Structures are given as structure tokens and as C-alpha cells.
């Protein structure tokens, strides 16, 4: 029964990650496709929706306080605050680079490039989290690296209309940088759970996400106001292709979608590991091109299809390794 409960919890978090990732990416791309052009606004919607998470957090906190006695926290508050600041800064930078990538690339190309995230997190997993790499995990890393690198070979069919070769390359390298920073974020999140908090609970998971989102939101707001982009928000809403109401709904639902996705990923870090969490995130990225073809009519040439198949192969390779580890642990 305990194992069934564990797998059910993992399944719920996987659904959060996949659905939130797909919706958030497509809505952010919709923002740019319909006339949005503010990088800081796109970055802001990835973090500013954190108040939505206060409702379940306060509910869990009330239940915990009523069933446990008060005791001093088993961690250093200054060290924990420092980790929150670092995580918030990394997350804000990753969101900004992701927004640059989505502004110059189609949703399918952006998603497939981000499958390289597993390669980055595997390195962080090895050097920061001190975890061993198996043959199947190395295989999945190599396959996913090949998948993302294929898209840099020929950009002629991958460029959105009006995007030059130079902007396309900026989008590619921004997406790769975003991929590396997201990987670093989840690896540091696991370090925070294991070595700083010393107590892994859902409350600590929610606190980590809320506080890092607060830091990321404040840093992004500084860039937003310093750049002067806030002065032309009204004009952007008026010029949005589908109208002001659609503009507001796109921003709101995009923000909520990223919250759902990120809470699911942090939950998988807490329940399983940062590498498993990132693999599920990459699986959702491999599904996004299919959704982009359906909703945005993105072109799917032979190169993209091969890259997508490689992404699925690399993802399931690691999932199979995790299944083998689980069988050995049960024996």
C-alpha cells in the first residue's frame, strides 16, 4: 500500500509537470505570435503567479501546526535564506533566457532544444549531488544531446516568419543557456532539501518554491521597470491581435500554468530526485511539438521528427533505468 501511494503521488506530479509545461510554453509563444514583444513581461509571467500556491501552502501549514509541537528548526536560517536568494536569481535568469528563445523560435523548435537540459543536469547531478551515472543514463544524455543539436543544422524550415538567421541563432543559444540554468536550479533545489533543510516535507517544498519565486519576481520587476517596458503596456494590449481581454487571459493562464508545472517538478525532486524530475520535464518538452503542430500549425520536417523521436528514446531510456533501480530496491 505504501508503494502504491508513492507511485500515485509521483503520477499526480507528472501530470502537473506535463500539462503545465505544455500549456505554459504554448501560451507564452501565443503572446509573442499575437503581437507581444516584451521580454521582461514574458519572464515575469513565469514567476509572478506564486500567490496561487499560498492556498495549499497555508492549508498544509495549519494541519502541520495543529498536529506537532513547536521546536526550533533543524537548519540555519541565514544559510537557507542564502540558498533561496541563489535559487531565485538562477530561476529569474533562466526565465529571461527562455523568453528570448520563445520570442525568436517556434514552440516546437524551442521545446526540442530544451531537451538538452538532461545533459546539463546529469553533469550537475554528478558533480554537485554526488550521484553515480549508469550506462542507461549516459545513453539517454547522449541521445538527448544529439536530438537538440540536430536543430542547429538547418534553420530554413524552423524559422518563424520575419525572424532572421541572426535572431534564430540568438534564440538557439538563449534556449541552451536557459536549459543549463533550469538544470542548475533543480540540482540546487535537491541540495537544499538534502543538506540545508535536513527535513524533506511538502511544506518545505512549497516554501522553497514560494520564496524563490518571490526573489525571481522582484529581480524581474527591477528589469521590467528599469528597461521602461512598463510604459508601453497599454499600447501593447491595444495592438494585441485577439484583443485586450485575450491579452489579459493569456498572461494570467500562462502564469498559472508555469506554477502548476514548477510545483510538480519540485515535488518530483522531493519525492524522487532532480534527475528524474528533469527527465519528466524533458518528456513534456518532447510532446510540445505535437501540440504546436495542432494549435499553431508549426512545420514538422524530417529533421524535427528525428529530433523528437530521439527525445522520446532518451527519455524512456532513463525511465527504464529508474524502473530497474526500483526493482532492485524492492528486492
Amino acid at each position: 500500500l505504501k508503494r502504491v501511494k508513492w507511485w500515485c503521488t509521483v503520477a499526480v506530479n507528472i501530470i502537473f509537470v506535463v500539462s503545465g509545461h505544455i500549456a505554459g510554453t504554448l501560451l507564452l509563444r501565443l503572446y509573442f505570435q499575437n503581437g507581444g514583444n516584451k521580454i521582461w513581461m514574458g519572464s515575469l509571467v513565469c514567476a509572478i503567479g506564486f500567490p496561487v500556491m499560498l492556498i495549499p501552502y497555508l492549508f498544509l501549514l495549519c494541519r502541520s501546526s495543529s498536529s506537532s509541537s513547536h521546536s526550533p528548526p533543524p537548519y540555519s536560517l541565514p544559510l537557507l535564506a542564502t540558498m533561496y536568494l541563489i535559487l531565485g536569481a538562477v530561476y529569474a535568469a533562466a526565465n529571461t533566457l527562455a523568453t528570448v528563445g520563445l520570442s525568436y523560435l517556434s514552440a516546437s523548435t524551442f521545446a526540442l532544444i530544451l531537451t538538452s537540459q538532461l545533459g546539463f543536469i546529469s553533469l550537475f547531478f554528478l558533480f554537485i549531488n554526488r550521484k553515480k551515472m549508469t550506462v542507461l543514463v549516459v545513453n539517454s544524455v547522449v541521445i538527448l544531446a544529439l536530438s537538440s543539436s540536430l536543430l542547429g543544422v538547418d534553420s530554413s524550415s524552423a524559422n518563424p516568419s520575419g525572424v532572421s538567421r541572426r535572431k534564430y541563432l540568438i534564440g538557439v543559444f538563449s534556449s541552451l543557456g536557459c536549459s543549463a540554468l533550469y538544470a542548475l536550479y533543480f540540482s540546487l533545489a535537491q541540495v537544499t532539501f538534502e543538506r540545508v533543510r535536513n527535513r524533506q516535507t511538502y511544506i518545505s517544498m512549497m516554501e522553497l518554491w514560494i520564496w524563490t519565486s518571490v526573489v525571481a519576481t522582484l529581480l524581474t520587476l527591477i528589469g521590467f521597470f528599469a528597461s521602461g517596458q512598463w510604459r508601453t503596456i497599454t499600447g501593447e494590449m491595444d495592438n494585441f491581435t485577439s484583443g485586450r481581454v485575450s491579452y489579459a487571459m493569456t498572461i494570467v493562464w500562462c502564469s498559472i500554468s508555469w506554477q502548476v508545472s514548477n510545483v510538480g517538478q519540485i515535488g518530483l525532486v522531493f519525492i524522487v530526485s532532480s534527475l528524474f524530475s528533469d527527465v519528466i520535464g524533458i518528456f513534456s518538452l518532447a510532446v510540445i511539438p505535437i501540440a504546436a503542430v495542432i494549435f499553431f500549425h508549426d512545420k514538422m520536417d524530417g529533421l524535427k521528427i528525428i529530433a523528437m523521436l530521439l527525445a522520446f528514446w532518451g527519455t524512456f531510456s532513463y525511465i527504464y533505468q529508474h524502473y530497474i533501480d526500483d526493482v532492485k530496491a524492492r528486492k
Side-chain angles (χ1 to χ4, degrees):
L1 183 61
K2 185 176 181 181
R3 296 298 300 175
V4 170
K5 183 179 179 181
W6 184 86
W7 277 109
C8 287
T9 306
V10 171
V12 169
N13 281 277
I14 289 175
I15 292 172
F16 283 170
V17 172
V18 175
S19 60
H21 230 132
I22 293 174
T25 303
L26 294 184
L27 287 170
L28 191 54
R29 179 57 199 164
L30 181 67
Y31 164 76
F32 288 108
Q33 187 168 297
N34 284 5
N37 58 11
K38 292 177 173 48
I39 300 300
W40 289 110
M41 173 60 79
S43 178
L44 189 61
V45 299
C46 296
I48 201 171
F50 69 89
V52 174
M53 297 298 111
L54 291 175
I55 298 174
Y57 170 70
L58 292 174
F59 174 74
L60 291 173
L61 194 63
C62 291
R63 289 188 60 185
S64 174
S65 60
S66 62
S67 60
S68 61
S69 58
H70 296 283
S71 59
Y75 51 81
S76 168
L77 285 175
L79 179 59
L80 185 63
T82 301
M83 289 302 299
Y84 286 161
L85 288 172
I86 293 173
L87 285 167
V90 171
Y91 185 60
N95 290 339
T96 303
L97 289 177
T99 306
V100 173
L102 266 176
S103 66
Y104 293 143
L105 304 176
S106 64
S108 56
T109 304
F110 171 80
L112 288 171
I113 290 176
L114 251 66
T115 57
S116 64
Q117 191 176 147
L118 184 59
F120 290 112
I121 202 171
S122 297
L123 294 176
F124 295 133
F125 199 83
L126 179 64
F127 293 107
I128 297 178
N129 302 95
R130 306 293 182 183
K131 305 294 183 182
K132 294 181 179 179
M133 303 290 288
T134 65
V135 174
L136 281 174
V137 171
V138 172
N139 172 70
S140 67
V141 169
V142 173
I143 293 300
L144 288 167
L146 289 173
S147 169
S148 59
S149 62
L150 277 175
L151 297 171
V153 175
D154 180 21
S155 64
S156 58
S157 62
N159 286 24
S161 59
V163 175
S164 64
R165 172 69 178 174
R166 176 177 170 273
K167 289 183 177 179
Y168 176 85
L169 290 176
I170 292 175
V172 169
F173 286 112
S174 296
S175 301
L176 287 172
C178 156
S179 181
L181 288 177
Y182 276 141
L184 178 61
Y185 174 82
F186 289 114
S187 183
L188 290 176
Q190 183 162 335
V191 169
T192 304
F193 282 134
E194 292 178 350
R195 305 179 193 176
V196 180
R197 294 256 359 192
N198 299 322
R199 181 184 294 171
Q200 300 184 39
T201 64
Y202 279 107
I203 291 179
S204 65
M205 179 197 75
M206 298 291 287
E207 286 178 350
L208 181 143
W209 173 242
I210 290 171
W211 283 112
T212 54
S213 295
V214 169
V215 174
T217 299
L218 292 176
L219 291 175
T220 308
L221 281 172
I222 291 173
F224 183 65
F225 285 105
S227 65
Q229 292 185 358
W230 61 276
R231 297 189 182 94
T232 57
I233 288 294
T234 303
E236 184 177 75
M237 293 178 68
D238 292 334
N239 296 327
F240 202 66
T241 303
S242 48
R244 294 171 66 96
V245 175
S246 177
Y247 178 92
M249 295 301 292
T250 300
I251 295 298
V252 169
W253 285 109
C254 182
S255 180
I256 293 174
S257 298
W258 284 117
Q259 295 303 307
V260 171
S261 172
N262 288 319
V263 166
Q265 287 213 258
I266 291 293
L268 290 177
V269 170
F270 162 67
I271 299 169
V272 189
S273 70
S274 60
L275 188 54
F276 181 79
S277 173
D278 199 65
V279 166
I280 298 303
I282 287 176
F283 172 76
S284 65
L285 291 171
V287 176
I288 287 174
I290 300 175
V293 170
I294 296 172
F295 293 103
F296 292 153
H297 307 292
D298 280 4
K299 295 180 180 178
M300 284 295 287
D301 55 11
L303 205 62
K304 278 188 180 181
I305 293 174
I306 293 173
M308 186 172 64
L309 292 176
L310 287 174
F312 278 117
W313 181 9
T315 301
F316 285 112
S317 178
Y318 178 77
I319 291 176
Y320 181 67
Q321 176 63 60
H322 187 74
Y323 169 76
I324 293 175
D325 294 341
D326 182 65
V327 170
K328 289 181 179 179
R330 293 178 66 182
K331 288 183 178 179

